[in-house]
Amino acid sequence: MYIRRVTRKNKDGSVTAYLQLAHNEWDPKAKYAKAKVIYSFGREDEVDRAVLERLAKSISRFLSPEQAFEAREAIGEAADFLFQSCKRLGGVWMLHRLWNKLGMDRILQKLFASRHHQIDIERLIFAMVANRALAPSSKLAMEDWVREEVYIPGLPQAASHQLYRAMDELLDVQSELEYQVYGAVSDLLNLEVDLLYFDTTSSYFEVDPSEAPEGETLRKQGFSKDKRPDLLQVVIGLAVTREGIPIRCWVWPGNTMDMTVVEQVKKDLIGWKLGRVISVMDRGFSSEENLRTLQRAGGHYIVGEKMRSGKAATEEAMSRKGRYQQVRENLHVKEIIVGDGEARKRYVLVYNPKEAERQREERKKLLEKLQTELDGLKQLPHETHSKAACRLRSHPSYGKYLRQLKDGTLRINKQAIRDAEKYDGKYLIRTSDDTLSPEDVALGYKQLIEVEDAFRTLKSTLELRPMYHRLEDRIRAHILLSWLALLLVRIVEVHTGESWRKVRDELQRLSLGHFSSKNGDLCQCTEITAKQRQIFVAVGVEPPPRFLEIQPKS
């Protein structure tokens, strides 16, 4: 049924139009549909518009709010809407829909169901996770961010004390949350957890060590991977799947050594009953005790070995002759077995010709600079070393290529150069799994870069560092929130094949406008671009509707 407009041409050449309410009926003889007039409103220039408006309103009672608004807009009733405000929508909407798709809302609501909170803890936690991913800020700054800058479904505003309370509550359910989140994510994404990559990093605090309170147990000085040994820090561990999805995180005191954390990591993952898992770790974890730990409960390992460790087995593996097998461009492998029986060790020596050439060129340039420095010393036999000579000997790059003659003068050590050339473009891997081919071992270890990518995202994009929290529980909760944000971000990156920065910038152009009129308020989205729609489709979530909220006046 529809209103149609028909015209008639008069003798004087003028045109008269009439409005009719009609619907189409099938004519079996003519074999096509014909319009049947139900009611005639009369001439268009004489029609009573109030009649049409009453008809439209009566029909709108049976329509959805969006359809009703479009109907009022068509008859001119929405023309007096006033623009009130605008908020960013795209990024929050993507994270919100993905959060719900993973079941995070249900998991948290179930975990907090028995606590009978007066505020929605789940929404507060989501807001802090979204803030980390979109515009990292303090909890105090989040008050304005939630109220003025973004539209968060179900959370029009949030107070800083509520956010801190939510952080405390989150930490109470951390263990169960991590387990349930892993189950939900692995089921939805069909994750392969036969290879798990693990590594650690550190993150610092803008607090001078002298200002730390007595009895500080978490914030400690230690080996800083951020090159800030002067500041207090914590050590953070991540377990990442081969797809780059971080399934669990750990936090340790800042003076924790890599060698000491493997047992706890293995114990925690055994509790998840992952089945046959091959742990892939860097050279910092390759102690014999750690390797035995990784083999418990049927597990296996792929770890990097320090080629200059001085171990007898490592030295034998590096000196073993044999041909490399080329498996990929710039990837040559050689399998080496050292020892028999229980002492048997399986190594894979990997050689990258392109990387070897790069290292040779870098060393050549370094030695040229070193020779220039030596020429400028004007050394004389049996003279006391100058400050410049001592500086060269203690230099981290130059020192290893220098030797001191009996008369005290410094010369370039040619034997050190020949020794260094033996390691160009090579790295040594050890594995306990005999079912993996040398190529699988090499490629599996090479993918350890996935953890490094996750750490880069965590520190730069999500701005994990520097941290300003003082209480231990708040520090742990802050890192837990950052891990949840990283989880969502990496899922988006895996599905879209683009960096989160690029996706975020595109989605943040999608905004939500708030309009008001005498008939009520509504929130309408800007038009979704083809690129934005492509991102939503790739991640598998529905884009926001045109009208997000319609609040008619009663």
Side-chain angles (χ1 to χ4, degrees):
M1 190 175 297
Y2 57 94
I3 293 179
R4 74 170 189 166
R5 181 176 182 269
V6 295
T7 59
R8 185 189 70 187
K9 190 171 183 181
N10 302 318
K11 290 182 179 180
D12 59 1
S14 62
V15 176
T16 303
Y18 298 86
L19 296 182
Q20 300 171 338
L21 182 64
H23 75 101
N24 291 335
E25 285 188 353
W26 180 257
D27 188 331
K29 292 183 179 180
K31 303 296 183 182
Y32 62 85
K34 292 183 178 181
K36 180 178 181 181
V37 177
I38 300 174
Y39 179 79
S40 178
F41 294 99
R43 287 175 52 159
E44 184 180 27
D45 56 344
E46 296 177 354
V47 72
D48 187 354
R49 287 186 61 84
V51 174
L52 295 179
E53 291 175 3
R54 288 195 299 271
L55 177 62
K57 286 182 179 179
S58 65
I59 293 174
S60 68
R61 290 181 300 169
F62 302 97
L63 303 177
S64 67
E66 293 85 353
Q67 293 168 329
F69 173 75
E70 290 175 348
R72 291 197 297 272
E73 191 178 45
I75 62 174
E77 235 185 59
D80 58 349
F81 268 89
L82 298 177
F83 175 73
Q84 298 292 343
S85 64
C86 181
K87 292 185 176 182
R88 296 184 183 274
L89 174 67
V92 168
W93 184 265
M94 164 65 76
L95 297 173
H96 164 70
R97 297 291 293 184
L98 182 57
W99 177 269
N100 290 349
K101 183 179 180 180
L102 296 173
M104 308 282 276
D105 55 338
R106 296 189 299 274
I107 291 173
L108 287 171
Q109 288 165 2
K110 185 176 180 181
L111 290 175
F112 294 129
S114 62
R115 305 196 178 198
H116 307 293
H117 294 110
Q118 295 181 347
I119 55 177
D120 193 339
I121 297 291
E122 181 271 331
R123 285 289 81 191
L124 293 171
I125 292 173
F126 169 75
M128 289 186 284
V129 170
N131 178 259
R132 279 289 112 196
L134 297 171
S137 67
S138 68
K139 302 303 175 283
L140 184 60
M142 271 192 66
E143 292 184 354
D144 290 338
W145 186 73
V146 172
R147 185 176 60 252
E148 305 291 344
E149 297 183 32
V150 296
Y151 174 87
I152 298 182
L155 190 69
Q157 59 184 4
S160 58
H161 70 273
Q162 294 175 329
L163 297 171
Y164 284 122
R165 171 72 184 279
M167 290 178 70
D168 298 337
E169 295 286 339
L170 176 65
L171 204 60
D172 288 344
V173 299
Q174 177 180 358
S175 179
E176 185 62 24
L177 172 67
E178 289 176 330
Y179 179 71
Q180 291 198 34
V181 167
Y182 164 73
V185 173
S186 60
D187 288 345
L188 181 65
L189 303 182
N190 194 25
L191 294 182
E192 295 184 26
V193 291
D194 55 337
L195 283 180
L196 281 183
Y197 301 89
F198 175 81
D199 204 351
T200 63
T201 190
S202 58
S203 189
Y204 59 84
F205 300 79
E206 289 290 359
V207 178
D208 189 272
S210 62
E211 299 176 13
E214 293 185 9
E216 180 73 58
T217 59
L218 188 63
R219 297 184 301 175
K220 296 282 188 180
Q221 283 183 283
F223 176 73
S224 174
K225 298 184 180 182
D226 292 321
K227 304 188 186 308
R228 293 302 305 269
D230 56 313
L231 297 177
L232 299 175
Q233 65 176 26
V234 293
V235 173
I236 301 169
L238 274 182
V240 178
T241 68
R242 65 168 70 202
E243 297 89 356
I245 307 299
I247 62 169
R248 186 157 183 169
C249 72
W250 291 264
V251 184
W252 295 287
N255 58 358
T256 303
M257 301 297 293
D258 285 350
M259 290 288 191
T260 63
V261 303
V262 172
E263 185 169 1
Q264 180 185 343
V265 172
K266 181 66 176 179
K267 180 181 178 182
D268 291 343
L269 294 179
I270 286 177
W272 283 11
K273 301 178 181 179
L274 298 178
R276 180 179 178 272
V277 174
I278 304 172
S279 302
V280 187
M281 298 185 178
D282 207 348
R283 293 174 296 181
F285 304 93
S286 58
S287 70
E288 293 300 323
E289 182 180 353
N290 281 344
L291 298 184
R292 286 192 294 271
T293 300
L294 292 173
Q295 285 187 276
R296 292 176 188 169
H300 287 283
Y301 60 79
I302 297 174
V303 297
E305 279 279 6
K306 295 180 180 178
M307 294 185 290
R308 296 181 175 89
S309 64
K311 296 180 182 178
T314 303
E315 294 291 336
E316 184 177 348
M318 291 300 300
S319 61
R320 186 75 61 85
K321 295 183 179 180
R323 291 189 175 185
Y324 287 96
Q325 174 189 358
Q326 183 173 351
V327 294
R328 297 280 179 90
E329 184 181 2
N330 293 316
L331 183 64
H332 301 239
V333 298
K334 179 169 64 175
E335 183 177 20
I336 303 167
I337 305 297
V338 176
D340 297 308
E342 293 184 359
R344 180 180 182 274
K345 296 180 177 66
R346 185 187 183 208
Y347 295 93
V348 174
L349 185 59
V350 183
Y351 174 64
N352 184 332
K354 188 174 181 180
E355 178 65 15
E357 180 63 28
R358 186 188 67 80
Q359 292 176 357
R360 278 192 292 268
E361 286 298 319
E362 287 186 352
R363 185 169 53 251
K364 180 181 177 181
K365 293 177 182 177
L366 184 143
L367 291 173
E368 289 174 353
K369 292 180 180 178
L370 176 57
Q371 187 61 58
T372 302
E373 293 280 352
L374 290 175
D375 293 342
L377 287 180
K378 298 180 180 179
Q379 302 178 87
L380 295 175
H382 306 293
E383 278 199 354
T384 305
H385 281 304
S386 63
K387 288 184 179 181
C390 293
R391 178 179 57 81
L392 285 180
R393 291 192 64 186
S394 61
H395 193 280
S397 299
Y398 294 151
K400 58 186 175 183
Y401 294 116
L402 286 173
R403 67 188 183 96
Q404 186 176 9
L405 302 183
K406 292 181 179 180
D407 60 7
T409 57
L410 298 179
R411 294 287 186 270
I412 290 180
N413 189 338
K414 295 183 179 180
Q415 183 60 46
I417 297 173
R418 288 191 291 269
D419 291 341
E421 288 173 347
K422 297 177 183 178
Y423 301 99
D424 286 344
K426 297 176 182 177
Y427 54 94
L428 187 64
I429 308 170
R430 181 175 168 185
T431 180
S432 62
D433 193 333
D434 289 333
T435 65
L436 295 175
S437 68
E439 178 182 6
D440 290 337
V441 174
L443 293 177
Y445 183 75
K446 192 175 180 181
Q447 281 184 295
L448 194 60
I449 195 172
E450 294 289 355
V451 188
E452 296 173 1
D453 286 343
F455 281 139
R456 269 192 294 274
T457 302
L458 194 65
K459 291 181 176 181
S460 57
T461 307
L462 306 184
E463 297 184 17
L464 174 71
R465 63 182 183 185
M467 293 188 282
Y468 297 94
H469 294 285
R470 183 180 63 83
L471 299 177
E472 179 175 329
D473 285 352
R474 296 278 169 80
I475 295 168
R476 293 183 181 277
H478 172 73
I479 294 172
L480 187 59
L481 289 168
S482 299
W483 164 67
L484 290 172
L486 178 64
L487 175 65
L488 298 180
V489 164
R490 291 297 293 130
I491 291 174
V492 172
E493 289 180 331
V494 167
H495 281 82
T496 61
E498 298 182 2
S499 71
W500 172 245
R501 285 182 182 272
K502 189 173 181 180
V503 172
R504 179 185 62 190
D505 291 346
E506 180 63 38
L507 291 180
Q508 289 296 72
R509 297 188 183 100
L510 181 59
S511 302
L512 184 70
H514 174 207
F515 301 86
S516 64
S517 76
K518 62 181 182 180
N519 296 317
D521 290 14
L522 66 85
C523 293
Q524 180 177 352
C525 300
T526 55
E527 290 296 323
I528 299 177
T529 66
K531 179 62 177 178
Q532 291 166 352
R533 193 173 298 278
Q534 180 183 347
I535 293 172
F536 283 114
V537 171
V539 181
V541 302
E542 288 293 325
R546 181 185 176 193
F547 300 107
L548 208 57
E549 289 185 10
I550 296 180
Q551 299 174 344
K553 286 187 178 179
S554 56

